[in-house]
């Protein structure tokens, strides 16, 4: 297994990432977007250094899983045209699935209260055929080694497997609501 950090111009891998993302997650803001729009969004966010994406590949260069992080809380100067493109993509998702967007945002309120982190894991997902084989653990380790700072993450409250996974990898349970649970690594 090799882990690489995706670049914004790696269109083929961004499409593979987006396809797997939509396959693994249902009913999230990102999955309200088409594969094409999600791929474009990933590329724009990476290009403008808003997120970083580490992807695990097997020896045949097939994607096993990915971990996406939002870098520190400081707002970056995003290119005006890229900002506009990001906005258009997000508006499309919001207009097509407003209930999902409102629900997701509502349940994020207060979730990161009293958590001071420089890096936030947005998503961690592994293809179902490759789960429980160390891929997720290697992705977490890559981010911990890469940033060597405080890291936060949230997952569904009913996803005990994910909560146990993060705790096993050194995260501490921090906040919880009916939908989401936040954890913290320092």
């Amino acid at each position: 297994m090799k882990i690489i950090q995706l670049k914004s111009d790696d269109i083929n891998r961004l499409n593979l990432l987006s396809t797997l993302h939509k396959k693994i997650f249902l009913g999230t803001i990102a999955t309200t977007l088409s594969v094409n729009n999600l791929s474009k969004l990933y590329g724009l966010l990476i290009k403008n250094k808003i997120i970083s994406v580490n992807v695990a590949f097997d020896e045949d260069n097939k994607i096993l899983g990915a971990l996406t992080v939002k870098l520190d809380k400081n707002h970056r100067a995003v290119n005006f045209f890229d900002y506009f493109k990001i906005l258009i993509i997000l508006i499309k998702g919001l207009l097509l699935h407003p209930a999902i967007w409102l629900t997701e945002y509502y349940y994020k309120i207060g979730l990161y209260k009293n958590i001071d982190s420089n890096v936030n894991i947005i998503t961690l997902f592994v293809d179902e055929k490759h789960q429980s084989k160390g891929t997720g653990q290697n992705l977490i380790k890559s981010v911990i080694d890469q940033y060597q700072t405080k890291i936060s993450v949230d997952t569904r409250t009913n996803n005990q497997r994910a909560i146990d996974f993060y705790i096993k990898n050194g995260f501490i349970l921090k906040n919880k609501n009916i939908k989401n649970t936040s954890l913290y690594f320092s």
Side-chain angles (χ1 to χ4, degrees), residues 24-41:
I24 300 293
F25 290 110
L26 299 173
T28 66
I29 288 174
T31 60
T32 64
L33 305 174
S34 67
V35 168
N36 186 45
N37 279 336
L38 183 54
S39 181
K40 287 178 187 176
L41 182 62

Side-chain angles (χ1 to χ4, degrees), residues 9-142:
D9 59 353
D10 196 343
I11 305 302
N12 185 44
R13 286 182 170 163
L14 289 171
N15 283 325
L16 292 172
L17 171 71
S18 299
T19 300
L20 181 60
H21 188 150
K22 288 184 63 74
K23 176 182 167 188
I24 300 293
F25 290 110
L26 299 173
T28 66
I29 288 174
T31 60
T32 64
L33 305 174
S34 67
V35 168
N36 186 45
N37 279 336
L38 183 54
S39 181
K40 287 178 187 176
L41 182 62
Y42 266 124
L44 290 164
L45 296 175
I46 292 168
K47 175 184 173 190
N48 287 281
K49 296 179 176 36
I50 297 168
I51 66 168
S52 173
V53 182
N54 289 3
V55 180
F57 292 94
D58 67 10
E59 58 278 350
D60 297 324
N61 231 12
K62 292 184 182 169
I63 188 170
L64 304 176
L67 189 149
T68 305
V69 298
K70 179 178 173 227
L71 305 172
D72 68 42
K73 296 178 182 175
N74 297 328
H75 296 284
R76 302 195 184 285
V78 176
N79 171 295
F80 173 78
F81 295 108
D82 288 346
Y83 182 80
F84 187 72
K85 291 174 191 174
I86 291 168
L87 196 57
I88 294 298
I89 292 169
L90 295 177
I91 288 171
K92 286 179 186 178
L94 173 62
L95 292 175
L96 291 172
H97 304 278
I100 290 173
W101 279 64
L102 294 172
T103 302
E104 288 296 303
Y105 276 113
Y106 177 79
Y107 283 106
K108 295 286 184 176
I109 297 171
L111 195 59
Y112 287 91
K113 181 181 176 186
N114 299 321
I115 296 179
D116 179 32
S117 66
N118 299 322
V119 173
N120 176 253
I121 297 172
I122 301 170
T123 58
L124 168 59
F125 51 94
V126 176
D127 189 298
E128 292 172 347
K129 295 178 271 182
H130 300 283
Q131 291 179 0
S132 301
K133 296 181 181 178
T135 304
Q137 195 164 14
N138 285 329
L139 286 164
I140 285 283
K141 184 178 178 342
S142 74

